Amino acid sequence: MNRVSVRILPVLIFLLFHVSKSEDEEVKRSLVGFMDKLAAGNVGRDQSWGWNMSSDPCNDKWIGVSCDTLSKSVKKVVLDELNLTGVLDIGFACKASSLSVLSLHSNNVVGSISEEIRNCKHLTHLYVSGNQISGHLPVSLKQLSNLKRFDISNNNFSGEFPDFSQISGLITFFAQNNQLTGEVPNLDFSHLLQLNISNNNFSGPIPDVKGRFSADSFSGNPGLCGELVSKPCPSTPPSKRKSNHSSIKRFFIYSGYAVLCLIVVLFVAFKLVSKMKPKDDKEVVETNTSRRSYKTSTTTSNESKIAENKSEYSISSVESGVALSSLVVLTSPTGQGLRFEDLLRAPAELLGKGKHGSLYKVMLDNGVTTLAVKRIKDWSVDSKEFKRRMKRLDQTRHPSVLPSVAFYCSQQEKLLVYEYQPNGSLFRLLHGAQSGQAFGWESRLNVAAIVGEALAFMHEELGEDGIAHGNLKSTNILFNQNKDPCISEYGLMVFQTQDLSFDFQSSKDALDPAAPTYGSFKADIYSFGVILLELLTGKPVHTNGIDLARWVHSVVTEEWTVEVFDKVLISQGASEERLLNLLQIALKCINPNPYERPNMNQVAVMISTLKDEEDRSSSHP
């Protein structure tokens, strides 16, 4: 019996190995087919190229291919300037479902982009500029929700552009020098950093680009009109379509009146019923509620530790029974139905205390929903201003800025409720037990680019409101469930002069005290520069009394610049040139003279350009 088992074991191992490799073989076969069509026999491909069934795209380092850290899946395909003259078959490329970057810049590829591009669900960068690709763009492009950079310039694309308004993270859109028609593409202009649709056949009014782009981005489209191109748009004549809609409009208006009348009737009825209830009942309810809240915060026995953590905000927040109606729930779906009483009753774990308050982890619905509650203390902003800031922030959304779920505001204290982020902070990733060992150069540059772009957006949108972050640091850069970085606690703290820079007090170029709004945004830029230094050096902001910004300045001044960089990055082969480039950006941000610091939009563009260079070079052997 044992002998039979020994004979069968190799067969089972073979079968298991064969099954686990079958999907990889299918992807490899598709990638080989992609290159066969792309090269079309005109490129001399020797064994060093790879791209054949007898080699592995990751382990044998196919030309232009980059894989994940485990060398299991293809992440990038960059085949720029290789004189490829074949046909683009995007369907083959998208068989590699984890593909995030596809670049065919400056070849002579023909063909079109097919609907199968929807299978590239993780695609963030698509560069096909400088080819002969033609045809209409597929509607399925709008399904690429992760797309950040899109460059189809200098091709022969035609027809109308699909709706891109749902791709909220798009920051680069280049479509110049094609034959595209119709209206200007429907984009989320508030996030874009780079835009060029010049020299096409677009027509109609130019939408509101929020002052982020000039007329050059739209030139060479004779049919476009609007203030930006100094060409007034013709007034729209009354149309039959408009008249057809008038009856529908009237119907909705009258329906609205009817609903309003019904609401008034119900309200009056509710008031009459409530007046009939004895006053004593109301007092009993309020007394019971107050007792219930106090009881929650003074739990004994085996829950004493949780109660101790929870009591700091729960007891002091209940003010004469008003607290239960004072929790303001914002528009986040997570907060729908949330009550102050739910927070008081829920188990809470103290995560940490800081200069500006305490942070708790609160579990609702038996652990199904986990929230983070920030208790703010010693804040000079009054309740009215606090509420204004919170509601304005709720109106300004960015996918990389953590929104508030709800807030509570009283004379004694203020609470902010967020979704709990399970993957820790940038500080922990850099300075925790791993000390950045598993956090390579490419990942660090990606964090810098995402945070920089998000901060630039918030500064742009909230500049007139005077709402900067106010307390930007690596502990406030959190990682969500997808391990993407997001900025937390935006707008909670107000500008403090002493936090502006390490050399602010002695600087002759100090900010005008009458312009605290200007100073708060410049302070954010300084803080972002310090985060860049943490990413580059792997060192915390303060170590044994040594300030990181001062230390970097001293090392650079003594011309020992290479000594600044984290040894982990050097050992992993990070480009010294790009490390130096990011260091230069960081030094501009922490300039002792606030007036000489760039704005966040300029910083974001610089880092974005640097990341593009890294993406392109990392795929070449």
Side-chain angles (χ1 to χ4, degrees):
M1 186 74 176
N2 291 337
R3 189 175 299 171
V4 172
S5 300
V6 169
R7 288 175 180 173
I8 291 174
L9 185 59
V11 177
L12 291 174
I13 292 174
F14 170 77
L15 289 173
L16 287 171
F17 177 78
H18 180 74
V19 169
S20 66
K21 295 289 289 182
S22 62
E23 185 177 356
D24 291 343
E25 289 294 309
E26 182 183 351
V27 171
K28 185 164 68 173
R29 189 175 293 107
S30 296
L31 290 174
V32 170
F34 175 72
M35 176 57 79
D36 287 343
K37 286 194 170 188
L38 212 56
N42 70 313
V43 176
R45 291 161 53 191
D46 55 29
Q47 285 296 111
S48 64
W49 270 59
W51 292 91
N52 54 57
M53 293 302 295
S54 60
S55 61
D56 183 82
C58 297
N59 297 324
D60 295 319
K61 296 182 178 179
W62 287 6
I63 189 169
V65 171
S66 296
C67 298
D68 63 0
T69 54
L70 300 176
S71 296
K72 292 293 184 183
S73 56
V74 173
K75 298 289 288 184
K76 301 178 182 178
V77 174
V78 179
L79 302 170
D80 297 343
E81 301 178 0
L82 292 178
N83 195 31
L84 300 172
T85 59
V87 179
L88 173 64
D89 190 329
I90 207 79
F92 275 142
C94 290
K95 289 290 185 180
S97 58
S98 57
L99 187 67
S100 62
V101 176
L102 177 60
S103 183
L104 303 173
H105 174 68
S106 296
N107 287 285
N108 283 296
V109 175
V110 298
S112 61
I113 297 179
S114 68
E115 292 284 352
E116 290 173 292
I117 197 170
R118 63 175 173 270
N119 297 324
C120 282
K121 295 179 181 178
H122 294 95
L123 199 65
T124 59
H125 295 61
L126 179 62
Y127 303 106
V128 294
S129 60
N131 286 284
Q132 301 297 321
I133 307 173
S134 58
H136 290 204
L137 291 164
V139 175
S140 59
L141 273 172
K142 67 181 182 182
Q143 298 178 29
L144 304 183
S145 58
N146 295 306
L147 199 61
K148 295 184 181 301
R149 302 192 183 276
F150 182 78
D151 187 353
I152 60 168
S153 60
N154 301 299
N155 278 287
N156 296 313
F157 289 107
S158 59
E160 296 188 1
F161 205 91
D163 184 4
F164 261 33
S165 61
Q166 298 304 310
I167 305 180
S168 59
L170 194 67
I171 57 179
T172 297
F173 185 90
F174 290 149
Q176 67 268 29
N177 302 319
N178 280 285
Q179 300 165 31
L180 296 167
T181 58
E183 296 183 349
V184 172
N186 189 9
L187 307 173
D188 187 350
F189 291 102
S190 59
H191 288 72
L192 275 179
L193 295 177
Q194 298 171 299
L195 171 70
N196 194 338
I197 61 168
S198 60
N199 301 320
N200 280 284
N201 295 307
F202 290 116
S203 58
I206 295 176
D208 179 16
V209 295
K210 305 187 183 299
R212 301 170 72 91
F213 306 105
S214 67
D216 292 339
S217 297
F218 303 92
S219 63
N221 291 282
L224 288 180
C225 61
E227 184 178 347
L228 195 61
V229 292
S230 302
K231 180 182 177 182
C233 295
S235 57
T236 306
S239 63
K240 185 178 178 181
R241 184 180 177 183
K242 205 167 186 179
S243 63
N244 288 339
H245 283 70
S246 60
S247 58
I248 298 175
K249 187 176 180 180
R250 283 197 301 271
F251 170 77
F252 281 114
I253 290 174
Y254 294 140
S255 298
Y257 286 142
V259 171
L260 184 61
C261 290
L262 180 61
I263 291 173
V264 170
V265 170
L266 290 174
F267 179 76
V268 171
F270 173 76
K271 283 291 184 181
L272 291 173
V273 172
S274 62
K275 283 184 177 180
M276 294 172 65
K277 289 187 177 181
K279 187 176 179 182
D280 293 341
D281 291 350
K282 185 177 180 182
E283 291 176 354
V284 170
V285 171
E286 287 185 355
T287 303
N288 290 339
T289 301
S290 179
R291 287 176 182 172
R292 192 165 56 244
S293 301
Y294 179 83
K295 182 180 178 182
T296 320
S297 59
T298 55
T299 308
T300 56
S301 72
N302 60 348
E303 294 185 39
S304 60
K305 185 177 179 182
I306 291 175
E308 181 179 336
N309 292 337
K310 182 168 53 178
S311 64
E312 185 173 0
Y313 71 83
S314 59
I315 295 177
S316 59
S317 296
V318 181
E319 298 178 356
S320 304
V322 179
L324 294 177
S325 61
S326 298
L327 184 71
V328 179
V329 178
L330 299 171
T331 56
S332 171
T334 307
Q336 299 309 306
L338 182 66
R339 300 174 302 165
F340 197 88
E341 188 177 14
D342 298 331
L343 296 179
L344 298 180
R345 288 179 170 178
E349 174 188 349
L350 179 63
L351 298 178
K353 290 186 176 182
K355 181 171 67 172
H356 299 295
S358 306
L359 184 66
Y360 301 86
K361 177 182 177 182
V362 178
M363 289 157 284
L364 302 174
D365 305 325
N366 295 321
V368 174
T369 303
T370 307
L371 300 173
V373 178
K374 176 81 172 183
R375 177 179 183 250
I376 305 171
K377 63 179 182 180
D378 302 329
W379 199 29
S380 59
V381 174
D382 61 30
S383 297
K384 184 177 180 181
E385 171 62 13
F386 179 76
K387 291 175 181 177
R388 182 192 75 84
R389 292 168 74 94
M390 292 303 102
K391 290 181 178 180
R392 183 68 184 92
L393 286 166
D394 189 50
Q395 296 167 355
T396 308
R397 295 300 185 96
H398 187 281
S400 298
V401 177
L402 188 65
S404 300
V405 171
F407 69 88
Y408 166 75
C409 180
S410 71
Q411 293 180 353
Q412 296 181 3
E413 66 180 352
K414 299 171 179 65
L415 303 179
L416 262 297
V417 183
Y418 296 96
E419 287 188 42
Y420 177 72
Q421 302 303 306
N423 288 311
S425 67
L426 178 60
F427 181 89
R428 192 180 76 174
L429 192 58
L430 281 171
H431 313 304
Q434 296 294 323
S435 297
Q437 292 291 329
F439 192 35
W441 164 239
E442 192 173 325
S443 298
R444 297 190 197 193
L445 183 57
N446 186 55
V447 168
I450 291 174
V451 173
E453 188 271 323
L455 194 60
F457 171 80
M458 298 300 282
H459 279 198
E460 182 81 21
E461 292 294 307
L462 298 170
E464 293 183 2
D465 300 277
I467 304 176
H469 188 288
N471 191 32
L472 188 65
K473 52 188 177 180
S474 57
T475 51
N476 284 337
I477 307 300
L478 306 180
F479 291 89
N480 60 24
Q481 290 183 340
N482 299 322
K483 297 185 178 179
D484 294 324
C486 59
I487 301 172
S488 69
E489 299 188 11
Y490 190 98
L492 296 197
M493 296 298 129
V494 291
F495 167 63
Q496 295 180 5
T497 301
Q498 63 269 25
D499 292 338
L500 185 59
S501 86
F502 68 86
D503 202 23
F504 179 83
Q505 297 296 338
S506 61
S507 173
K508 294 181 180 179
D509 298 298
L511 293 173
D512 179 357
T517 296
Y518 177 82
S520 62
F521 289 104
K522 288 298 183 181
D524 272 3
I525 293 164
Y526 179 87
S527 300
F528 180 71
V530 173
I531 290 175
L532 294 182
L533 293 183
E534 287 186 78
L535 291 168
L536 287 165
T537 66
K539 298 179 184 297
V541 178
H542 297 287
T543 309
N544 299 323
I546 300 174
D547 181 89
L548 179 60
R550 290 182 184 274
W551 176 77
V552 170
H553 265 292
S554 66
V555 174
V556 172
T557 302
E558 295 172 7
E559 299 185 355
W560 289 92
T561 304
V562 178
E563 297 298 317
V564 163
F565 302 124
D566 192 344
K567 298 296 185 293
V568 172
L569 300 179
I570 301 298
S571 66
Q572 291 175 351
S575 165
E576 187 174 315
E577 179 186 357
R578 279 184 280 280
L579 286 170
L580 286 168
N581 288 340
L582 188 60
L583 177 61
Q584 289 300 318
I585 297 171
L587 292 175
K588 290 178 181 178
C589 292
I590 64 169
N591 191 312
N593 182 355
Y595 289 108
E596 294 182 2
R597 295 173 195 165
N599 63 46
M600 268 314 301
N601 194 51
Q602 292 170 325
V603 174
V605 170
M606 287 188 282
I607 298 176
S608 173
T609 302
L610 189 60
K611 188 175 185 303
D612 278 349
E613 293 174 5
E614 178 67 27
D615 289 339
R616 293 179 186 278
S617 66
S618 63
S619 296
H620 288 289

